[in-house]
Amino acid sequence: MDFDLSDDQRLLQDSLQKLLKDKYGFEQRKGYMTSEAGWSREVWAAYAELGLLAMPFAEEDGGLGYGAVETMIVMEQMGRALALEPFVSTVVMGGGFLRHGATAEQRAALVPQISEGKLLLAFAQTEPQSRFDLHDVATTARKDGDGWVIEGRKGVVVHGDTADQLVVTARVSGGRRDRDGIAVFLVPATAKGVTRRGFKTSDGQRAADITFDNVKVGAEAELKGGLSLVERVADETIAALSAEAIGCMEAAKDLTVDYLKTRKQFGRPIGSFQSLQHRAAEMMVCLEQARSMAMLAAMMASERDDAERRRNMRAVKIEIGRNARFVGQQTVQMHGGIAMTMEYAGGHYLKRLTVIENMLGDMDHHLAALSEEGGVFLAA
């Protein structure tokens, strides 16, 4: 199999590298974190100008028709820069729901707005009791004439504080943990009865706890696909997050190796000490193992066999989490106290890698699920 990038893919990679190098120095990033939105609208407009926000959508819907490999390229660069913008929330997750669950009319109305950077989406799924189970939904939607009335609470909705539209899972029938009876709705964030409480997450990103109190939406708000749609989008998001983790890990490894070459102890660089050389070598091994799994995720993202795709994505999540944890922890360990400060990038990479590990299920969750489903996974 040919893993070389095409000319167009290299151009995409180079263009984004140049943009992030110019707009995303570490000091600039700290400024974006303290802004009202918690990210840069100027950079978001630059993403739109580069075509990044239109990438995954079909050309007939106003997009560029790119696939998971291009998303992988973009997410790796964003991981290196520790980018704060809602690309995953709006383009990967929100875009996934539109591509797989929306009508042609809905896509025609919404995709151009996303491509131009004028519309932000967020996925409101997690609930206080649900942990990582996508089918654990207590929020309800009941019929009201031709439309629906939504009641419930969602927690830690990533970029939910600035989203214009919310993709909301709600139960229309069955018990709280039943796999059947789950529907997906597109709800305006400013709809009457929607209350948002924004906050900053441990990695510097923004999120919101959201309450839906007698929120009325029309019949056209429902996206088709139910839980199978949610799981498909979750798998595509795991592929994107895996690529972001690779970017974070590579940048953290480079930062650590440079530090080992320059920090001196006992009159010589600490990188000359054999034990630290061994740790740096292990970081490289972990990075390359994770990279191979991120490539697998990109290849499996479009797999039509739901069970096969899900098994592979669980394995990807386990390996990415295991290797990311080691690289992040070693980055902090080998830098010493400096890596624990907000003024140094090392600790920020660990924080982001930790959040990525826990998004859409941590290692323990996916290991248990693989065991229950009869899957086989052999950790390195």
Side-chain angles (χ1 to χ4, degrees):
M1 183 174 291
D2 184 8
F3 288 97
D4 289 334
L5 300 181
S6 68
D7 291 340
D8 286 346
Q9 289 168 341
R10 287 195 190 93
L11 179 61
L12 172 65
Q13 184 182 59
D14 292 343
S15 298
L16 185 54
Q17 276 181 344
K18 291 176 182 176
L19 171 65
L20 294 176
K21 184 177 180 179
D22 179 51
K23 298 291 187 180
Y24 245 96
F26 186 63
E27 293 301 317
Q28 291 170 299
R29 179 182 183 271
K30 288 197 291 185
Y32 301 153
M33 286 175 62
T34 59
S35 67
E36 182 180 358
W39 46 274
S40 171
R41 294 191 181 273
E42 177 189 355
V43 174
W44 188 249
Y47 291 165
E49 189 175 344
L50 276 180
L52 303 186
L53 309 186
M55 284 199 323
F57 301 107
E59 293 183 22
E60 55 265 32
D61 294 327
L64 298 179
Y66 286 174
V69 173
E70 286 78 17
T71 300
M72 178 182 70
I73 292 169
V74 169
M75 290 305 302
E76 185 172 341
Q77 297 306 314
M78 290 187 175
R80 289 190 65 91
L82 288 172
L84 298 163
E85 286 69 41
F87 185 85
V88 171
S89 300
T90 295
V91 179
V92 178
M93 301 189 87
F97 280 106
L98 294 182
R99 287 187 295 112
H100 303 309
T103 63
E105 292 75 16
Q106 287 172 315
R107 295 194 301 272
L110 299 176
V111 169
Q113 295 183 61
I114 293 173
S115 301
E116 295 169 10
K118 298 178 180 179
L119 179 67
L120 304 175
L121 302 177
F123 180 36
Q125 159 65 25
T126 306
E127 298 183 1
Q129 82 292 334
S130 65
R131 194 161 169 76
F132 300 130
D133 293 325
L134 297 174
H135 60 276
D136 190 330
V137 177
T139 297
T140 61
R142 69 176 189 276
K143 269 290 188 180
D144 180 38
D146 292 334
W148 299 87
V149 176
I150 300 174
E151 294 267 359
R153 291 188 299 157
K154 300 292 184 177
V156 197
V157 179
V158 179
H159 291 296
D161 58 332
T162 53
D164 302 303
Q165 299 262 5
L166 302 168
V167 180
V168 183
T169 52
R171 183 163 294 285
V172 296
S173 65
R176 195 196 84 196
R177 291 182 57 81
D178 289 350
R179 291 184 60 83
D180 296 328
I182 295 173
V184 182
F185 298 92
L186 197 60
V187 180
T190 55
K192 184 179 179 180
V194 176
T195 304
R196 298 186 283 181
R197 183 184 68 83
F199 56 90
K200 185 181 293 186
T201 55
S202 61
D203 59 344
Q205 302 259 3
R206 296 292 293 271
D209 291 335
I210 304 179
T211 301
F212 299 88
D213 183 10
N214 199 39
V215 177
K216 297 181 179 181
V217 294
E220 74 284 352
E222 184 178 1
L223 301 177
K224 303 304 180 184
L227 182 61
S228 62
L229 171 63
V230 174
E231 291 180 336
R232 183 174 184 176
V233 173
D235 287 343
E236 292 178 354
T237 305
I238 286 173
L241 291 172
S242 298
E244 183 184 359
I246 298 305
C248 288
M249 292 167 67
E250 188 163 36
K253 181 265 298 179
D254 291 344
L255 191 69
T256 303
V257 170
D258 287 344
Y259 184 76
L260 295 180
K261 291 177 179 178
T262 56
R263 174 73 165 89
K264 291 186 176 181
Q265 188 71 34
F266 306 116
R268 56 177 176 156
I270 61 175
S272 64
F273 303 145
Q274 191 176 56
S275 61
L276 297 186
Q277 291 175 1
H278 288 173
R279 288 195 190 186
E282 288 183 65
M283 290 175 72
M284 176 63 77
V285 171
C286 286
L287 171 60
E288 293 308 314
Q289 287 178 334
R291 192 190 304 279
S292 67
M293 296 303 284
M295 291 179 178
L296 172 63
M299 290 187 291
M300 291 300 301
S302 57
E303 171 63 47
R304 294 186 178 276
D305 185 328
D306 292 345
E308 181 67 15
R309 185 188 66 241
R310 196 68 178 148
R311 279 194 298 271
N312 278 273
M313 289 305 182
R314 291 197 191 284
V316 166
K317 201 68 166 64
I318 294 163
E319 273 297 278
I320 291 290
R322 183 178 68 84
N323 290 297
R325 180 181 295 184
F326 180 85
V327 170
Q329 290 177 346
Q330 292 305 311
T331 296
V332 171
Q333 180 69 25
M334 287 196 279
H335 275 88
I338 187 176
M340 300 299 293
T341 67
M342 288 294 291
E343 290 74 24
Y344 194 74
H348 291 262
Y349 285 113
L350 173 60
K351 290 176 183 178
R352 182 57 187 162
L353 288 169
T354 301
V355 169
I356 289 174
E357 180 195 338
N358 285 276
M359 288 182 70
L360 297 173
D362 61 10
M363 290 185 287
D364 291 340
H365 170 79
H366 287 288
L367 275 170
L370 269 182
S371 176
E372 291 174 4
E373 294 164 3
V376 176
F377 176 71
L378 299 177

